[in-house]
Amino acid sequence: MEGTVFAPALEGIQHVKSEAGEILTKPFLEVCKHILPVIDKFGAAMALVKSDIGGNIARLESKYSTNPSEFNYLYDLVKPEIESKTAKGSSSCTNGLLWLTRAMDFLVELFRNLLEHQDWTMSRACTEAYGKTLKKWHGWLASSSFTVAMKLAPNRKKFMDVISGNGNVEADIEQFCSKFSPLLEENHKFLASVGMDELKAS
């Protein structure tokens, strides 16, 4: 493998914004997809997160494919739902974008923990990241399932070796977190502006 498992995502991030600085739908979803192989390396601990992210990407891609030119920009994908007041529906694309952004927040926080707390076990890095991001939006059932799954987290050293390939994994994690976080922040600002950012899991 050329470089680390983050290499395709880092390449993709460069193409996420238009010249005018707007987030483009397809490139943004592609970057999220490129993170799925990283999640794979966590094994069973991340099965829930992976299926959640994959499902939300598929939902947004499906809508995008109905009219790529109209939905070229990410927020144009969800504006019709906001105007028709269907954005808060559980199967809406707006809801999909919200939960995709939150799951990505969790992963960025987890990767940061792996960089900044070299002495933490993988399980602790996951649990702390969950507590800071997804936990407040989850109900009791989702939270309990997540807590159990985190106990299945792989050995930290083995995981880092697997995702390193022949590149500098710490530099790539740092780069991914610093370049992807502002995009997630923009999503949150947009979602907050349309009254979606406080929505909890049903």
Side-chain angles (χ1 to χ4, degrees), residues 1 8 24 77 79 81 86 126 158 161 169 175 185 188:
M1 176 173 68
L24 298 163
L77 198 62
K79 279 176 183 165
E81 293 178 346
T86 56
C126 290
K158 276 188 192 158
D161 288 347
V169 73
Q175 217 182 335
E185 203 47 53
H188 282 300

Side-chain angles (χ1 to χ4, degrees), residues 13 22 52-53 86 99 111 178:
I13 285 174
E22 293 183 82
D52 195 43
I53 289 174
T86 56
W99 286 100
F111 297 142
S178 64

Side-chain angles (χ1 to χ4, degrees), residues 8-199:
L10 288 173
E11 165 61 27
I13 285 174
Q14 298 174 50
H15 310 290
V16 165
K17 287 204 163 182
S18 68
E19 285 183 15
E22 293 183 82
I23 297 178
L24 298 163
T25 306
K26 193 165 173 56
F28 176 78
L29 295 176
E30 287 295 324
V31 170
C32 295
K33 264 199 217 170
H34 285 315
I35 292 302
L36 293 176
V38 184
I39 304 173
D40 265 341
K41 309 296 182 207
F42 280 93
M46 288 288 173
L48 284 169
V49 179
K50 189 183 176 201
S51 83
D52 195 43
I53 289 174
N56 286 319
I57 292 172
R59 185 189 303 183
L60 294 165
E61 272 188 332
S62 172
K63 178 78 178 280
Y64 168 78
S65 68
T66 63
N67 195 335
S69 56
E70 187 183 339
F71 299 135
N72 188 35
Y73 298 112
L74 186 60
Y75 304 148
D76 286 349
L77 198 62
V78 299
K79 279 176 183 165
E81 293 178 346
I82 292 153
E83 284 156 15
S84 64
K85 302 209 169 4
T86 56
K88 290 189 177 175
S90 60
S91 60
S92 73
C93 284
T94 318
N95 201 37
L97 177 62
L98 175 70
W99 286 100
L100 177 59
T101 301
R102 286 174 175 174
M104 287 293 169
D105 283 338
F106 162 69
L107 292 174
V108 165
E109 193 61 38
L110 168 55
F111 297 142
R112 279 209 182 104
N113 283 345
L114 291 174
L115 276 189
E116 293 169 12
H117 302 282
Q118 302 280 342
D119 56 325
W120 284 8
T121 62
M122 181 63 89
S123 186
R124 181 172 179 193
C126 290
T127 304
E128 296 273 350
Y130 179 65
K132 268 195 182 175
T133 55
L134 283 170
K135 190 174 183 181
K136 63 184 166 197
W137 308 116
H138 276 170
W140 179 83
L141 191 63
S143 193
S144 305
S145 308
F146 219 92
T147 308
V148 170
M150 293 302 103
K151 293 184 170 39
L152 304 171
N155 172 278
R156 180 190 172 118
K157 183 178 182 321
K158 276 188 192 158
F159 173 79
M160 294 301 271
D161 288 347
V162 168
I163 66 169
S164 293
N166 58 9
N168 180 341
V169 73
E170 293 198 353
D172 277 8
I173 289 176
E174 171 65 50
Q175 217 182 335
F176 176 75
C177 291
S178 64
K179 289 184 174 174
F180 199 58
S181 291
L183 300 174
L184 298 176
E185 203 47 53
E186 270 187 60
N187 285 355
H188 282 300
K189 278 186 185 153
F190 169 76
L191 290 160
S193 75
V194 296
M196 283 292 291
D197 214 32
E198 292 300 309
L199 201 70

